Amino acid sequence: MFSVEILLPILVIAAFLVGFILWRSKKEERIARNAGLKLRSATMDDPLTVSASRVEPDLAAEEEKPAEALSQPEPSLPDPDQTRSPADEVPPPSEEPPIYDELEREEARRAEAAARSRTEAENLRDNRDRATPPVDPAVEWVLDIAPVDGMQFALGGVKSLKLELERLDLPLLVRVWAQSSKDSLYYEADELTCPARQVVATLLLANRTAKLDEVSASRFYQVLEQSAAQNSVVIRREFEPEQAVQRSVNLRNFIEFFDRRIEMLIAPREEGETLSADRVSKAALRTGFMYSNDRWELRLDPADRDPVIWLALVEEGESPAKVSLNYELPLANSVRGDLRKFLEVANQLAAELGAVWTDCSGRPIDAGAAMAIAEQVASQDKLMTESGVVPGSPRARLLFSR
């Protein structure tokens, strides 16, 4: 028989352990609940959730202003061979030793390498250190489920949920994130290697080619509802399926309003000449394009779903006579220098093909027209940003995907 002196410490330790286990399970439940609250409240002050309904009634009036400027045939820069003067061929002598130029170039190279290293480090950190699920409640329908009392989702259950959602074959992007029980970070379902404390499933509300409808919303919700029922929990969500469908209508109007591009034509110098598909293909590949979907696409970021710049043949009769070079305004990042890259690509392609730049009406592009293009791009960027979507941002790449 245990004496009171021995039994009392054992009872105290046991009570402490039971209290600690209960406290820890409540803490994990509170963390998961707070994560859900953050997801549901993230859109309260988002300009997009306000501007989506604000832009729609004024589309008819506002369309005249930005659309008129951006839908008209876009001009280009002058052909370098036509504007080069004899004085440009040989640079004037410099009073400074050439070594200064080389030092400046070396300094610029070092600065560029340092900036590239910082960008890669930031991207790596963003991809791995996911303390919260990288979702966007302003453009995605976010549903999350979390077990109670410290329970977890089995690894097979998370992957099964992802598989069931993929089988729906919905026309909009579906993503599944899970909070790892090991490090509490969020991973995509395919990346998860252990049980999960919380599962977050998202459905894009609209993009360039589709918007959410009642049937798709109901099917998506039912799969999540079944998964929640199997774990004896309820789905946490910011809005109901009917509200998700209504939001998709507003976002679709927003997309149609800002879905604009600049188009240039690269045409032969002499009337009646043509550009063969083989010549165009070789020039495009040398310039960095990749052939896909019956056109040549240039992705300035390998992670982009859709290209910022793309190139296609313009058929006239039996032979391709011109090349259409396009710049996607909502996907372009002007701060990164995408517009400058577009003009450089146009110049390089024209030189490779022995052609000239023109607008859609066949008028040659001069420096003034290029400045007008830059002003139009700046105007579109400002208007989109004020409406809650920064051009070239992850949100823009979701909304203006195909």
Side-chain angles (χ1 to χ4, degrees):
M1 232 180 130
F2 292 107
S3 65
V4 175
E5 290 81 3
I6 297 175
L7 187 59
L8 185 59
I10 294 176
L11 292 175
V12 171
I13 293 173
F16 173 78
L17 291 176
V18 170
F20 176 76
I21 293 172
L22 290 175
W23 172 81
R24 182 175 178 84
S25 65
K26 291 296 182 181
K27 180 182 177 182
E28 290 180 353
E29 182 181 352
R30 186 171 61 255
I31 291 173
R33 184 170 60 251
N34 291 338
L37 289 175
K38 287 181 181 179
L39 292 176
R40 293 189 293 276
S41 62
T43 60
M44 291 181 62
D45 299 324
D46 198 309
L48 181 60
T49 59
V50 179
S51 64
S53 58
R54 184 184 68 237
V55 169
E56 181 185 358
D58 297 331
L59 280 179
E62 293 293 332
E63 183 74 16
E64 300 176 0
K65 197 164 151 188
E68 183 178 358
L70 294 172
S71 62
Q72 289 179 354
E74 298 295 340
S76 271
L77 293 179
D79 180 66
D81 294 335
Q82 296 179 357
T83 58
R84 185 181 294 117
S85 65
D88 294 330
E89 300 294 333
V90 181
S94 173
E95 296 180 359
E96 295 182 353
I99 186 62
Y100 290 132
D101 293 336
E102 182 59 32
L103 290 175
E104 291 176 357
R105 285 193 291 271
E106 181 62 28
E107 183 178 355
R109 283 193 291 269
R110 285 198 300 268
E112 183 180 355
R116 187 164 55 250
S117 298
R118 286 195 300 270
T119 301
E120 291 173 354
E122 290 172 359
N123 291 338
L124 188 62
R125 183 169 61 254
D126 291 341
N127 289 335
R128 294 185 178 177
D129 297 346
R130 296 168 176 155
T132 58
V135 302
D136 190 344
V139 300
E140 295 177 290
W141 188 19
V142 182
L143 306 179
D144 71 285
I145 50 179
V148 296
D149 298 329
M151 297 178 62
Q152 298 175 344
F153 287 102
L155 177 60
V158 176
K159 295 186 179 295
S160 175
L161 172 61
K162 176 67 180 298
L163 184 61
E164 288 299 319
L165 290 174
E166 288 178 345
R167 286 175 178 169
L168 296 178
D169 196 23
L170 300 177
L172 295 161
L173 178 67
V174 174
R175 300 192 293 176
V176 177
W177 302 92
Q179 185 185 34
S180 169
S181 59
K182 288 185 178 180
D183 55 17
S184 297
L185 300 181
Y186 286 84
Y187 298 88
E188 289 196 75
D190 296 335
E191 302 172 345
L192 192 67
T193 58
C194 62
R197 294 176 181 167
Q198 182 190 21
V199 174
V200 179
T202 68
L203 174 62
L204 185 63
L205 294 173
N207 64 10
R208 277 174 160 171
T209 58
K211 68 177 184 292
L212 185 63
D213 56 43
E214 292 83 357
V215 174
S216 297
S218 176
R219 295 172 64 201
F220 177 77
Y221 187 81
Q222 285 176 5
V223 172
L224 267 295
E225 199 171 37
Q226 291 171 3
S227 179
Q230 291 171 2
N231 292 275
S232 302
V233 294
V234 296
I235 301 175
R236 296 185 295 199
R237 57 203 179 277
E238 181 186 1
F239 42 84
E240 301 300 322
E242 302 80 20
Q243 295 171 300
V245 172
Q246 183 55 47
R247 285 200 176 196
S248 73
V249 173
N250 294 335
L251 284 175
R252 181 67 176 173
N253 291 338
F254 180 94
I255 293 168
E256 291 176 353
F257 183 76
F258 285 105
D259 189 6
R260 307 184 189 284
R261 59 186 170 88
I262 293 174
E263 180 181 11
M264 292 182 181
L265 294 180
I266 299 176
R269 295 180 182 275
E270 301 296 332
E271 187 176 352
E273 290 185 2
T274 60
L275 300 175
S276 69
D278 184 59
R279 285 182 61 200
V280 172
S281 180
K282 290 179 179 178
L285 294 176
R286 283 194 295 266
T287 311
F289 287 81
M290 297 294 292
Y291 189 75
S292 177
N293 303 317
D294 296 325
R295 64 184 188 180
W296 293 268
E297 300 177 343
L298 181 61
R299 286 172 172 78
L300 303 180
D301 183 343
D304 289 346
R305 291 187 179 87
D306 296 275
V308 174
I309 303 172
W310 56 273
L311 186 72
L313 295 172
V314 178
E315 301 286 346
E316 290 185 4
E318 298 181 356
S319 302
K322 300 174 184 175
V323 177
S324 172
L325 181 64
N326 297 268
Y327 180 80
E328 299 285 355
L329 287 168
L331 300 176
N333 185 339
S334 298
V335 177
R336 184 174 58 186
D338 290 3
L339 180 59
R340 178 183 299 177
K341 180 65 175 179
F342 174 66
L343 298 176
E344 289 175 354
V345 165
N347 186 51
Q348 185 174 349
L349 286 172
E352 291 269 358
L353 297 171
V356 295
W357 311 4
T358 73
D359 61 20
C360 293
S361 299
R363 295 188 296 266
I365 295 177
D366 56 18
M371 292 179 63
I373 291 175
E375 291 174 357
Q376 292 170 7
V377 171
S379 176
Q380 164 103 349
D381 286 358
K382 180 181 178 182
L383 188 57
M384 267 190 72
T385 301
E386 291 174 348
S387 299
V389 181
V390 178
S393 66
R395 176 178 288 183
R397 292 197 294 268
L398 281 174
L399 281 177
F400 294 90
S401 64
R402 297 187 185 279

